[in-house]
Amino acid sequence: MPHYTPLIATIVAGLVLAFIFGSIAHRLRISPIVGYLLAGVLAGPYTPGFVADQALANELAELGVILLMFGVGLHFSLKDLLSVRAIAIPGAIAQIGVATLMGMGMAYFLGWGLIAGFVFGLALSVASTVVLLRALQERRLVETERGRIAVGWLIVEDLAMVLALVLLPALAGLIMAKDALADAAMWQPIAITLGKVAAFVVVMLVIGQRVVPWLLHWVAHTGSRELFRLSVLAIAIGIAYAASTLFGASFALGAFFAGMVMSESPLSQRAAEETLPLRDAFAVLFFVSVGMLFNPAIVLEHPWLLAGTIFIIVFGKSIAAFLIVRAFRYPTTTALTISASLAQIGEFSFILAGLGVALKLMPQTGLDLILAGAIISIMLNPFVFQAIDWIKPKLEKRKAKTEEEIAGPAEPAEEAAATLTPTSLANHAVIVGYGRVGSHIGDRLRELNIPYLVIEDRTDVVKQLRARGIEVFFGNAASSELLAAVNLPHARTLFVAIPESFEAGQIVEQARKANPSLEIVARAHSDAEKDNLNRLGASFTIMGEREIAQGMMDYAFKNAATPGPATQATTKADEL
Ligand code: AMP
């Protein structure tokens, strides 16, 4: 019996094509996102062969947005969100204003009229949640100050979009009715929307913040991993859906708040881990669905208009954001990261432009330009970040020449990126990762009076270490610049004390090349990992789980060997 399965076909085509093209992109050393987008173009209606269901692909992409925003919310507290409001609110509003004006300027030259220009400019002014968060996550920036500002900025944009979506039909109504005094018709829906979003936030903070951690705790005590995983997912997508259908907020905002209230629970780390694989799969489908919208004909039909649109998205918006962030006296690195994050458009822009066309406020060409501008700006985004990495040291150098040292401690991330002063230590030990394992190594080295430094990529740990006067380099230790700064050729021992074996392998391999006689001690969690690290150059690899087993056996053996009270047993066994 033949049966029609568009959902399965869309998921299968999306994931399989994304895998093939993502792998090719990876081999060519370009961002896999480019591969995912091309996979979408192939699965889309404008290229021959299989055509996936666009509406379904869009819905799957929405799930990606929900899970991503939920994940970000899990790392955010209300305090974090409020701490960036002073820049995120005026910054996002000013940037939306500038970008909208630029879009209106372009529309003016095309003779589109004021309202069409407004819709076009507004659609150009908002960045894609998925692209922004992926970029921050890849660079481990979400939990830095720059990352928090970017996320706060995104939330303000999101709210502005929710308002714009209710504003547009009212605006269209006004134009149709040609009733200049129908002010109430315009302001009423905005007031109602704002009221509903505010009600959602209050409900989440008052009820959600109590109920969600309690529920999670309760499920964790059932002891069922399956139920725990299910509860996390159900809470995330359930709240996102309720936010959108009951309160008129967006899925993204709902999911963010779901994550934020869950972050109050000590189980939030586990909750985040549970959603990772699904989140990654649906984020990939997001890029495929964007690719499907791309009509290559627009490139031939309106090359100059497209170039203008891309110029506004990639240069206009980022320069505006850069100047705004600098005007708030934030460091250049922060300004550059925020502007690179925003140099693209995505899902909100399509929705807004689509509505604009449906309401006859903007011509179809506007939507075509937005769609093409989105795919091209998303493809360019990884290169924008690369360009910024390249430009950063130059700007910093110039600033250092013209300005006195800025007062006050900078964010560790900023400092590390701006100046990577090589260590002056020699014959020292290097600890990579200062967590449960690395911190014990540090304590022992201090007792033994052996000089050491740390490489760590969590800002809170870096701050604590700096406060204690310990030399620490912030960032991912797999980066060759960081490893070059820690003087491996003259070090005595390298402790690779991080749990991820893939990154550990990269670190060991580079360190071995830098110093063939260095003593490298690494951490592994399986025999396969241990063999791999040894093959890549580790002198000695400890399999953590085996040591735990050993410790357990030692304890049990001590207790079994000596009957009687436990304290006595320990002393006796110790004497043996
Ligand atoms: P634990 O598993 O508790 O020993 O913690 C590992 C520590 O290593 C954490 O503090 C991580 O932030 C840190 N870490 C993990 N991967 C890296 C990396 N690639 N570069 C630097 N620090 C890392």
Side-chain angles (χ1 to χ4, degrees), residues 433-437 455-458 475-477 497-500 503 523:
Y434 208 79
R436 290 161 299 178
V437 177
I455 309 181
E456 172 56 63
D457 71 353
R458 271 180 47 188
N476 185 348
I498 58 172
E500 299 87 4
E503 281 175 349
R523 163 183 177 187

Side-chain angles (χ1 to χ4, degrees), residues 511-528:
R512 180 51 74 219
K513 275 199 196 119
N515 181 349
S517 59
L518 178 67
E519 190 173 37
I520 303 179
V521 188
R523 163 183 177 187
H525 295 282
S526 69
D527 285 328

Side-chain angles (χ1 to χ4, degrees), residues 343-398:
Q344 38 82 13
I345 58 170
E347 64 276 18
F348 284 132
S349 314
F350 314 146
I351 298 172
L352 204 64
L355 187 66
V357 172
L359 293 169
K360 300 198 168 36
L361 295 174
M362 186 179 74
Q364 174 68 32
T365 321
L367 178 59
D368 291 340
L369 286 175
I370 300 268
L371 293 176
I375 184 170
I376 295 174
S377 66
I378 294 176
M379 275 190 183
L380 289 176
N381 199 244
F383 301 105
V384 175
F385 269 97
Q386 271 173 16
I388 275 173
D389 286 341
W390 177 78
I391 210 171
K392 211 156 37 190
K394 296 186 174 49
L395 279 181
E396 287 295 327
K397 226 179 267 165
R398 223 180 53 202

Side-chain angles (χ1 to χ4, degrees), residues 125-355:
S125 71
V126 276
S128 154
T129 312
V130 180
V131 180
L132 190 148
L133 294 181
R134 282 267 318 221
L136 293 180
Q137 275 163 355
E138 251 168 47
R139 291 164 184 80
R140 294 170 180 269
L141 288 173
V142 177
E143 284 168 74
T144 64
E145 186 182 30
R146 294 181 270 172
R148 280 198 290 272
I149 296 176
V151 172
W153 197 292
L154 192 73
I155 287 172
V156 179
E157 281 196 355
D158 192 303
L159 277 174
M161 270 312 97
V162 169
L163 288 182
L165 290 178
V166 294
L167 180 82
L168 282 193
L171 199 66
L174 263 190
I175 295 170
M176 296 297 168
K178 305 229 177 320
D179 182 358
L181 290 174
D183 262 5
M186 177 121 170
W187 295 113
Q188 210 178 7
I190 294 187
I192 293 175
T193 310
L194 276 180
K196 276 163 67 176
V197 172
F200 169 71
V201 173
V202 171
V203 168
M204 287 309 284
L205 294 183
V206 176
I207 304 176
Q209 209 154 13
R210 290 183 177 82
V211 174
V212 169
W214 172 83
L215 191 64
L216 215 56
H217 188 78
W218 179 80
V219 179
H221 276 86
T222 61
S224 161
R225 192 189 175 98
E226 187 176 286
L227 266 187
F228 183 75
R229 197 172 275 168
L230 192 61
S231 70
V232 174
L233 265 181
I235 291 171
I237 57 177
I239 292 183
Y241 193 74
S244 150
T245 46
L246 301 181
F247 294 95
S250 64
F251 282 143
L253 195 75
F256 177 80
F257 270 88
M260 207 168 85
V261 294
M262 207 181 270
S263 74
E264 302 296 322
S265 158
L267 293 162
S268 65
Q269 182 65 30
R270 244 186 86 193
E273 283 159 17
E274 297 297 345
T275 53
L276 276 185
L278 263 186
R279 185 196 78 183
D280 291 350
F282 282 107
V284 166
L285 287 179
F286 165 81
F287 292 107
V288 177
S289 80
V290 173
M292 284 174 65
L293 295 167
F294 180 60
N295 180 2
I298 186 90
V299 182
L300 301 175
E301 280 165 19
H302 300 292
W304 289 110
L305 294 189
L306 185 57
T309 310
I310 293 168
F311 184 84
I312 295 179
I313 301 170
V314 177
F315 293 101
K317 271 173 64 174
S318 25
I319 293 172
F322 179 84
L323 294 178
I324 295 166
V325 180
R326 283 297 289 150
F328 278 87
R329 310 199 65 77
Y330 275 86
T332 315
T333 21
T334 307
L336 285 174
T337 309
I338 307 267
S339 38
S341 315
L342 299 172
Q344 38 82 13
I345 58 170
E347 64 276 18
F348 284 132
S349 314
F350 314 146
I351 298 172
L352 204 64
L355 187 66

